[in-house]
Amino acid sequence: MATENEYTSSEGAPDQSELIAALKKFIRTQGEGYLRDPNVSSIGIARKTTDSRPEGEIALQFTVGKKAQPEQLEALGTKKLPESITVDGVEVPTEVLQRSYEPQFRVVAEAESPTRHKRLDPALPGVSVGHVNVSAGTIGCVVFDRHDGTPYVLSNWHVLHGASGEPGEDVVQPGQADDPHIDRNRLGRLERSHLGFSGDCAVATVEDRRFDADILDLGVAPEELGEPEIGDTVVKSGRTTGVTHGVVRSPFKLVQIDYRGVGPRNVLCFEIGVDPNIPPENGEISLPGDSGSVWMFKDPGGRPGKVLAGLHFAGESRADPDEHALACLPQLVFEELGITLRPPVPEAVEVLEGYNPNFLRARVPAPRLDPRIEHDLFRLGDADDIPYTHFSLALSKSRRFALWVAWNIDGGALKRLDRRGIPFSRDPRIPDEAQVGDELYRANRVDRGHLARRADLLWGSLAEARKANTDSFFFTNIAPQMDDFNQSSRGGLWGRLEDAVFEGVKVDDLRVSVFAGPVFQSDDRLYRGVRLPREYWKVLVFSDQGELRTTAFLLTQNLDQLEALELDEFRVFQVTLSEVEERCRLRFPDPLHEAETLAVPEALAQRAPLESLSEIRWS
């Protein structure tokens, strides 16, 4: 652990912890300015090294691509770095070393047990993994979604994502460099990633495999996050070098690395050198392929502990003789990715809020309002839409019903939950006068119809599904439907459209996004001071063999509004997005129009209502 230094000997000077805290703040706020110098590759905290004192005073350590004499600096396009920098009133010496860094994910010759390069079930940390288009890196550890407890594997952005990757794409174990048969090695999908100030990090789901949390050859799983200090001893288990031991040399550093395909990125991290007491057999504590492994602090007995020190992501370049490694700071990584080391207990689940536009393999934003009706939008604070568990909606000020509701369905994680005992209720976040309540529905033939279908929302963890079940009964998600309206529609076709897509199409990942809402018209029937919509629309979006598909429907008496009669039966028509837009004054994103393949006759009289789900044209 760190010890006192010269700055504590003067009265009123900060102790070491205060000095390091001040230096961290300085690097966070001022560090990127120094990295704009093309010769500077990092700025960090370290003990100054001299021939006489290998463990000297705390210093600001700079690394540069090339050290040079003052008269040579201008030719290099760089400037002389100061010999000291004043931070919070304390003069801190600087040190300049010649080093460069690079991410470690390239393929190298076998150097360890082939176990790390094979398909394993259960999958476990310390073995090969990668995006389908990335060579190979390492599974660092098993983590859990902070909101719903979903298990993930943690690794680097450049291992699970890469320059050409996208969220939702496949991740394989082992990486394709170790086994090119990626069709049989799918582990899950890329869920979230980040490359920047907070780290080089990503998580992927574990869907086609079991998993074990103990790190290969270390026999421990991380249970807590730690903060590195100078002199801490650490150990990791990587795909290429296996188990290697190190010592923290710089506990806080801002480093610039040039990532192939995306360019330079600045990352906060810490630096690890070789542990002289346990040197690696080949002199390397990390090699390409180790990216994504985790460094664990050792316990007082020198054994791997259960405290995670950092996420390995880079090492010295091939031309640099100084052996060292770089690791992301765990607190920043876990905050950025929204993950935790222990799954939340049901009572503590922080449910994900709202419709997720990144739910499918392609981004699908919610519809926008036509400028002609933007004035009618109720805003919750500064937000245009109101989030709930697995769905969001936009609320009309004049009609007090939803203009649209958007929701996600995870068909592979649906739960069966009872609706008994859940009351319909007003959303307490919204003024009572802005939403229609039970006063409309008492003692009459008007049904309370869910817009976002309750059964569609009951997925995820049990606690999350229960929250979605309750959220679906807010009156903002309810629309008035006459009982014959709600119960007719050719044997309930309207209520079974979502089921039909799973039956009629091989939906990628069993995931569907849905938009729906009422059609507001000026001559809608006035009842108890409320105009009752007489038409409804629904749009289903899904991916079929990697291709985005869009299908729209209208529940109405007649497609020709002038011909509609109040006594006509309500029927389901398959329509185009443009027709929904025209009726509702909405604008759907261009990718949904491009994903639509339905061709319909121009003459309304030639449009036949659906008699059964089998008549739906999905492509």
Side-chain angles (χ1 to χ4, degrees):
M1 306 295 287
T3 59
E4 297 289 318
N5 76 350
E6 289 83 354
Y7 294 112
T8 62
S9 60
S10 301
E11 184 176 350
D15 62 21
Q16 180 172 287
S17 61
E18 291 175 339
L19 176 61
I20 289 179
L23 294 178
K24 287 181 178 181
K25 182 179 179 181
F26 177 83
I27 292 171
R28 286 178 185 271
T29 58
Q30 307 293 324
E32 291 194 291
Y34 288 97
L35 292 182
R36 293 191 185 100
D37 186 316
N39 195 40
V40 177
S41 56
S42 76
I43 174 175
I45 302 168
R47 289 194 177 278
K48 193 166 185 177
T49 57
T50 65
D51 293 338
S52 58
R53 298 186 61 187
E55 289 199 7
E57 58 190 325
I58 294 294
L60 277 169
Q61 184 186 83
F62 291 90
T63 61
V64 296
K66 184 175 182 180
K67 293 186 72 172
Q69 297 299 317
E71 61 272 13
Q72 300 173 311
L73 296 177
E74 184 175 352
L76 293 173
T78 186
K79 295 181 180 179
K80 187 177 187 297
L81 291 166
E83 295 182 358
S84 65
I85 296 174
T86 300
V87 178
D88 281 4
V90 177
E91 188 177 2
V92 181
T94 64
E95 180 177 44
V96 180
L97 303 177
Q98 182 171 306
R99 287 182 193 162
S100 57
Y101 307 96
E102 60 184 28
Q104 298 193 322
F105 66 98
R106 296 189 314 277
V107 183
V108 295
E110 297 269 342
E112 188 66 24
S113 166
T115 298
R116 296 181 182 273
H117 302 246
K118 291 182 177 179
R119 184 186 192 278
L120 298 179
D121 191 2
L124 70 165
V127 303
S128 174
V129 74
H131 182 279
V132 287
N133 295 323
V134 172
S135 56
T138 302
I139 295 175
C141 63
V142 173
V143 295
F144 300 89
D145 190 286
R146 183 185 301 163
H147 307 289
D148 60 21
T150 300
Y152 301 132
V153 292
L154 172 66
S155 190
N156 293 146
W157 173 92
H158 71 266
V159 172
L160 300 182
H161 188 149
S164 61
E166 293 288 344
E169 292 181 339
D170 285 347
V171 167
V172 290
Q173 191 289 308
Q176 56 96 353
D178 295 319
D179 185 345
H181 301 95
I182 58 176
D183 56 324
R184 67 188 184 198
N185 291 330
R186 183 178 186 273
L187 177 66
R189 66 179 184 277
L190 172 64
E191 184 70 18
R192 290 192 288 276
S193 66
H194 174 75
L195 178 62
F197 212 67
S198 296
D200 174 347
C201 51
V203 289
T205 58
V206 184
E207 299 175 17
D208 294 353
R209 218 81 60 86
R210 296 169 296 160
F211 64 88
D212 187 338
D214 283 352
I215 301 172
L216 180 63
D217 291 341
L218 297 188
V220 296
E223 295 181 359
E224 297 179 81
L225 302 182
E227 184 173 352
E229 295 186 9
I230 295 174
D232 286 339
T233 55
V234 291
V235 60
K236 73 163 178 59
S237 178
R239 166 206 174 271
T240 307
T241 58
V243 175
T244 54
H245 304 261
V247 177
V248 175
R249 300 197 306 199
S250 174
F252 197 78
K253 174 173 289 210
L254 182 63
V255 61
Q256 184 174 94
I257 296 181
D258 192 357
Y259 283 85
R260 188 183 312 154
V262 298
R265 291 293 187 274
N266 299 334
V267 181
L268 278 174
C269 59
F270 66 98
E271 182 179 299
I272 301 152
V274 174
D275 185 343
N277 297 316
I278 315 177
E281 290 184 5
N282 62 357
E284 301 282 353
I285 60 170
S286 70
L287 282 172
D290 285 342
S291 283
S293 54
V294 294
W295 288 94
M296 302 293 293
F297 288 112
K298 294 185 181 181
D299 65 20
R303 297 178 296 272
K306 296 183 178 182
V307 181
L308 194 154
L311 177 66
H312 178 79
F313 74 102
E316 77 282 351
S317 64
R318 284 168 289 180
D320 193 339
D322 179 69
E323 179 60 27
H324 58 276
L326 297 178
C328 305
L329 297 161
Q331 293 88 349
L332 296 180
V333 166
F334 276 59
E335 181 64 29
E336 184 69 42
L337 296 179
I339 54 177
T340 178
L341 286 171
R342 299 182 182 182
V345 297
E347 293 76 14
V349 168
E350 180 188 345
V351 176
L352 282 172
E353 290 195 335
Y355 168 78
N356 180 5
N358 298 313
F359 188 71
L360 304 181
R361 295 188 178 188
R363 180 174 172 79
V364 181
R368 295 178 292 106
L369 302 188
D370 186 291
R372 293 174 292 175
I373 63 169
E374 284 182 346
H375 66 278
D376 192 38
L377 178 64
F378 173 88
R379 286 182 168 82
L380 183 61
D382 295 328
D384 289 349
D385 57 275
I386 303 167
Y388 299 89
T389 306
H390 299 156
F391 70 101
S392 297
L393 57 86
L395 190 63
S396 165
K397 288 193 293 187
S398 63
R399 301 295 290 261
R400 298 187 292 155
F401 299 125
L403 292 153
W404 57 258
V405 182
W407 68 98
N408 306 117
I409 308 172
D410 187 342
L414 287 170
K415 306 284 191 298
R416 289 184 178 272
L417 298 179
D418 202 324
R419 64 180 291 167
R420 288 178 296 181
I422 304 177
F424 290 91
S425 59
R426 282 185 167 90
D427 186 335
R429 299 173 296 175
I430 300 170
D432 286 354
E433 61 272 17
Q435 49 190 323
V436 176
D438 211 30
E439 67 277 1
L440 175 65
Y441 305 96
R442 294 193 194 102
N444 55 34
R445 294 172 52 206
V446 180
D447 278 351
R448 294 168 294 197
H450 283 70
L451 292 171
R453 196 174 69 156
R454 184 188 73 90
D456 295 346
L457 306 173
L458 310 184
W459 52 270
S461 68
L462 184 57
E464 187 178 357
R466 285 172 175 165
K467 182 67 165 58
N469 201 13
T470 302
D471 284 3
S472 73
F473 283 86
F474 282 121
F475 276 114
T476 48
N477 184 46
I478 304 302
Q481 299 174 351
M482 296 301 293
D483 55 8
D484 60 344
F485 181 118
N486 202 24
Q487 296 160 18
S488 61
S489 183
R490 301 291 181 184
L493 290 183
W494 186 252
R496 294 189 290 129
L497 291 175
E498 292 95 315
D499 298 332
V501 69
F502 289 113
E503 295 170 4
V505 182
K506 188 177 180 180
V507 178
D508 293 348
D509 304 323
L510 296 178
R511 290 187 163 208
V512 177
S513 291
V514 189
F515 307 111
V519 178
F520 296 140
Q521 300 179 63
S522 59
D523 61 348
D524 284 334
R525 177 184 173 186
L526 186 65
Y527 178 74
R528 293 185 179 179
V530 178
R531 292 200 178 276
L532 307 184
R534 64 177 184 264
E535 294 184 336
Y536 288 84
W537 60 272
K538 187 176 289 186
V539 174
L540 304 181
V541 189
F542 55 93
S543 181
D544 176 12
Q545 300 182 44
E547 294 292 328
L548 195 67
R549 303 291 186 195
T550 305
T551 308
F553 302 90
L554 192 68
L555 179 62
T556 183
Q557 292 179 333
N558 196 305
L559 284 177
D560 186 344
Q561 298 179 43
L562 297 177
E563 296 292 330
L565 301 174
E566 283 295 324
L567 299 179
D568 278 358
E569 181 184 8
F570 290 93
R571 296 167 292 185
V572 180
F573 291 83
Q574 191 168 3
V575 297
T576 65
L577 275 179
S578 297
E579 289 175 300
V580 174
E581 289 179 327
E582 181 180 355
R583 264 176 153 83
C584 303
R585 296 185 177 180
L586 298 176
R587 294 293 178 265
F588 290 95
D590 291 341
L592 294 196
H593 285 277
E594 295 166 3
E596 189 176 32
T597 57
L598 178 67
V600 298
E602 291 186 7
L604 295 177
Q606 298 178 26
R607 307 272 196 93
L610 297 175
E611 298 291 337
S612 69
L613 297 178
S614 63
E615 295 180 359
I616 298 174
R617 286 171 285 174
W618 297 112
S619 62

